[in-house]
Amino acid sequence: METIIAVIVGGVISFAGVVITLRWNQKIHEDNLKEERRKKKEEREFSLKQAAFQAASEALARFIAYYVSLPERILPSDGTIPDEFTDLDVAFNGLHFYCGLETIEKTTHLGQILNEAFAEAIKAKMPSGFIAGDVKAIDLRISGIEKMNLSIQGEIGAIYQSDPQSPLLVSRYELLAKNFETIEKAHAERVELIKRKYIETEKCRDVVLANLNTIYESARDVLMLARKELCFPVDEERYRAIMDERIESMRRTSGEFFTEIRKQVTERMQ
C-alpha cells in the first residue's frame, strides 16, 4: 500500500513539475512574443517617422528651389497652385501622425513662414507678370503687321508685273512704309517694357533673397528636431554653428552672384 502511495505521490509531483515547466515555458514564450511585437511596432513606427521626415525634407528642398527661381517663372493664368507648394503642405501634414508636439509646432511655424514668404514674393512678382502680358500683346501686334506686310509685298509684286505704272503701287508702298514705322515704334515700346519688367523682376528677387535667411534658419531648427525624433543625437550647438555658417555662405554667394548679374545687365541696357 505504501509503495502504491509513493508511486502515486511521485507521479503527481512529476506531473506537477511538467505542468509548472510547461506554464513557465508558455509564459516565456508569451513574453518573447510581446517583446517581438513591441520591437516590430517600434521598428514600424520608426520607419514611418523616418519616411515622413525624408518626404518633408525633399518637399522642402523642392519648394525652396521653386521659391528662389520664382522671379523668372511665368505664373499660371488659371490660378493653379504649384505642385511644390501643395506637396510641401502634404508632407508637413504627414509629420503630425508620427512626431511630438515640439516638432509639430516647429513645422507649423516653418509652414507659416513659407506661406508668408511665398505670398510676399507673388505680390512682388505680379507687376512683372502684367508687363509680360503687355509684351506678349505687342509681339502679337508686330506679328500681325508683319503678316500684313508680306501680303502687301505680294500685291505689289503682282501689280508691278501686270502694270508697272499703276497708281495702286503708290498707295501700297505708302501703307508698307507706314506699317514698318508702326513696327519700329512697337519694338521701341517693347524694349522699354522689357526694361521695366527687368526692374520689377529684380524687386521680386530682392523680396525672395530677404526672406531666405528666415526660411533657412527655421528649416535648420526643424532638421535639428528631426534628429531628436529619430534618436540620432548630435551636438546642438555645433550643429547650429555649422548650419549658420552654411546659411551665411549661401547668402553671401547668392548676393555676390546677383550683384554681378545686375551689373552686367545694367551695362547692356544703357
Side-chain angles (χ1 to χ4, degrees), residues 12 39 66 90 108 143 228 238:
V12 171
K39 288 182 178 180
Y66 178 89
V90 171
T108 300
S143 177
K228 285 184 179 179
R238 185 177 177 188

Side-chain angles (χ1 to χ4, degrees), residues 1 30 56 65 88 153 169 176 222 245 253 259:
M1 185 66 178
E30 290 175 354
L88 181 67
Q153 289 170 341
L169 286 174
L176 194 64
V222 171
E245 183 179 352
T253 302
T259 297

Side-chain angles (χ1 to χ4, degrees), residues 149 152-153 156 171-180:
N149 283 350
I152 294 172
Q153 289 170 341
I156 290 174
S171 63
R172 290 295 182 273
Y173 277 120
E174 288 178 348
L175 180 58
L176 194 64
K178 184 179 180 180
N179 283 349
F180 278 123

Side-chain angles (χ1 to χ4, degrees), residues 92-163:
F92 275 9
N93 286 337
L95 294 175
H96 289 220
F97 293 100
Y98 311 110
C99 301
L101 287 177
E102 186 179 5
T103 300
I104 292 174
E105 182 181 6
K106 287 289 186 181
T107 52
T108 300
H109 178 63
L110 175 57
Q112 291 171 346
I113 289 175
L114 296 176
N115 284 337
E116 292 171 3
F118 185 74
E120 190 176 352
I122 289 293
K123 183 178 178 181
K125 170 72 176 174
M126 288 178 66
S128 67
F130 292 139
I131 294 173
D134 293 339
V135 171
K136 186 175 181 180
I138 290 178
D139 288 340
L140 290 173
R141 194 196 327 162
I142 291 173
S143 177
I145 297 175
E146 287 176 341
K147 288 180 180 178
M148 185 188 301
N149 283 350
L150 288 175
S151 177
I152 294 172
Q153 289 170 341
E155 291 179 14
I156 290 174
I159 294 172
Y160 189 81
Q161 287 181 358
S162 62
D163 183 7

Side-chain angles (χ1 to χ4, degrees), residues 111-261:
Q112 291 171 346
I113 289 175
L114 296 176
N115 284 337
E116 292 171 3
F118 185 74
E120 190 176 352
I122 289 293
K123 183 178 178 181
K125 170 72 176 174
M126 288 178 66
S128 67
F130 292 139
I131 294 173
D134 293 339
V135 171
K136 186 175 181 180
I138 290 178
D139 288 340
L140 290 173
R141 194 196 327 162
I142 291 173
S143 177
I145 297 175
E146 287 176 341
K147 288 180 180 178
M148 185 188 301
N149 283 350
L150 288 175
S151 177
I152 294 172
Q153 289 170 341
E155 291 179 14
I156 290 174
I159 294 172
Y160 189 81
Q161 287 181 358
S162 62
D163 183 7
Q165 304 299 323
S166 174
L168 292 176
L169 286 174
V170 175
S171 63
R172 290 295 182 273
Y173 277 120
E174 288 178 348
L175 180 58
L176 194 64
K178 184 179 180 180
N179 283 349
F180 278 123
E181 183 180 348
T182 301
I183 289 175
E184 184 179 356
K185 290 180 179 179
H187 276 297
E189 184 182 353
R190 186 179 187 277
V191 169
E192 292 302 315
L193 284 174
I194 290 175
K195 289 180 179 179
R196 284 176 51 201
K197 181 176 179 294
Y198 172 75
I199 292 172
E200 295 299 334
T201 298
E202 291 306 301
K203 289 180 181 178
C204 179
R205 197 188 314 282
D206 286 338
V207 170
V208 169
L209 291 175
N211 287 324
L212 278 182
N213 264 15
T214 304
I215 291 174
Y216 282 131
E217 288 171 0
S218 185
R220 174 204 61 200
D221 295 340
V222 171
L223 290 173
M224 192 179 299
L225 279 174
R227 295 189 66 92
K228 285 184 179 179
E229 290 274 4
L230 297 173
C231 300
F232 295 139
V234 67
D235 185 331
E236 291 189 15
E237 187 173 334
R238 185 177 177 188
Y239 181 80
R240 183 181 294 274
I242 292 172
M243 295 299 291
D244 286 346
E245 183 179 352
R246 180 191 175 201
I247 293 170
E248 175 58 25
S249 175
M250 292 175 64
R251 186 198 64 78
R252 184 174 60 255
T253 302
S254 298
E256 293 173 352
F257 175 70
F258 288 124
T259 297
E260 181 61 27
I261 289 179

